[in-house]
Amino acid sequence: MVSFAAAAEGRAVPAAQGVSLPLPPTAGSMSLEEALAHRRSACEFALGALTLDEISRLVWAAQGFTAPEGRTAPSPGATYPLEVYVVAGNVGDLAAGVYCYRPVPHRLELVTDGDIRVPLADAAVGQTWISRAAMVVVIAAVFERTTAHYGKRGERYVYVEAGHAAQNLLLQATALGLGARPVGAFNELGISHLLRLPGGEVPLYLVPVGRVPRF
Ligand SMILES: Cc1cc2nc3c(=O)[nH]c(=O)nc-3n(C[C@H](O)[C@H](O)[C@H](O)COP(=O)(O)O)c2cc1C
């Protein structure tokens, strides 16, 4: 199990309900090599719900703390520009809604309730398959955190870090036997509006995740 030392987390979230996630184990049943070999983008999902335990492992893989000063994904100068959101639609023990992941204390904070998967898919240039995923992880960024240190070059660093986080998430989904697909085609303003992203925060990547159909 990962132990979470008290550490300051930068982002202010409006006071709201949220849910503490189960601590993610640091051992699993699939090797890294197997996950790499089996990762494939999925866009067909079965109806089954995801569990809170699976959500915990997925968001931890993307941006979780591994030590007081470390996360699962590298970050330029430890500036940590990324914010991870969960758009939950079909998750046991979690009401449908948009949640912001706070790596410390490994918790989801409710941003807005209700199932927004259909309008989210509309904002992703009508990729309707997205609405059939049990949940969608949205990776957003506050560029200023990194460009304040690295100037214009920091912009590319933020995109690179988003790729690291997304690949961690995709490999974790594979290791859990789930289907996932990275999505870069979407209307930025539409997604920002749906997730009620604060000013200065930009959505970079969507990753729908769900159970895979058994044929
Ligand atoms: C930056 C990026 C953006 C992508 N955007 C989309 C997308 O909007 N819709 C989609 O269906 N797949 C998208 N994909 C997934 C690719 O289509 C997929 O990775 C590719 O077909 C290779 O298949 P594989 O992932 O199974 O190896 C994206 C992949 C990347 C890396």
Side-chain angles (χ1 to χ4, degrees):
M1 294 283 183
V2 174
S3 70
F4 298 101
E9 168 59 5
R11 186 177 190 284
V13 185
Q17 307 108 311
V19 60
S20 291
L21 294 168
L23 289 181
T26 50
S29 55
M30 186 181 281
S31 71
L32 177 60
E33 288 79 4
E34 287 172 303
L36 287 165
H38 293 301
R39 185 211 60 81
R40 220 35 336 120
S41 292
C43 58
E44 299 286 340
F45 300 107
L47 289 177
L50 297 187
T51 67
L52 211 49
D53 184 60
E54 288 167 331
I55 303 295
S56 164
R57 295 177 191 219
L58 290 163
V59 294
W60 176 77
Q63 263 312 269
F65 267 72
T66 50
E69 301 301 329
R71 296 200 194 189
T72 50
S75 181
T79 51
Y80 301 116
L82 304 184
E83 295 290 340
V84 170
Y85 291 83
V86 168
V87 174
N90 187 12
V91 179
D93 298 326
L94 188 64
V98 176
Y99 297 83
C100 179
Y101 174 52
R102 304 194 68 164
V104 172
H106 194 52
R107 188 177 155 79
L108 295 178
E109 298 288 355
L110 181 68
V111 176
T112 172
D113 56 10
D115 188 353
I116 64 156
R117 287 175 297 169
V118 169
L120 189 86
D122 287 345
V125 297
Q127 300 185 73
T128 51
W129 61 270
I130 293 173
S131 65
R132 295 190 288 275
M135 57 99 90
V136 181
V137 175
V138 179
I139 298 175
V142 181
F143 279 81
E144 169 65 17
R145 289 181 195 157
T146 305
T147 55
H149 291 261
Y150 296 106
K152 180 97 181 131
R153 190 168 184 80
E155 289 177 14
R156 75 162 64 190
Y157 290 171
V158 173
Y159 292 115
V160 171
E161 183 175 335
H164 289 300
Q167 180 72 353
N168 284 358
L169 172 59
L170 293 168
L171 291 174
Q172 180 70 295
T174 304
L176 294 171
L178 302 172
R181 185 180 193 99
V183 170
F186 56 82
N187 178 295
E188 218 170 273
L189 283 179
I191 299 292
S192 298
H193 177 71
L194 282 168
L195 268 66
R196 303 193 188 174
L197 295 186
E201 213 169 291
V202 180
L204 296 184
Y205 226 176
L206 315 183
V207 185
V209 186
R211 301 218 168 278
V212 289
R214 306 267 171 226
F215 297 106

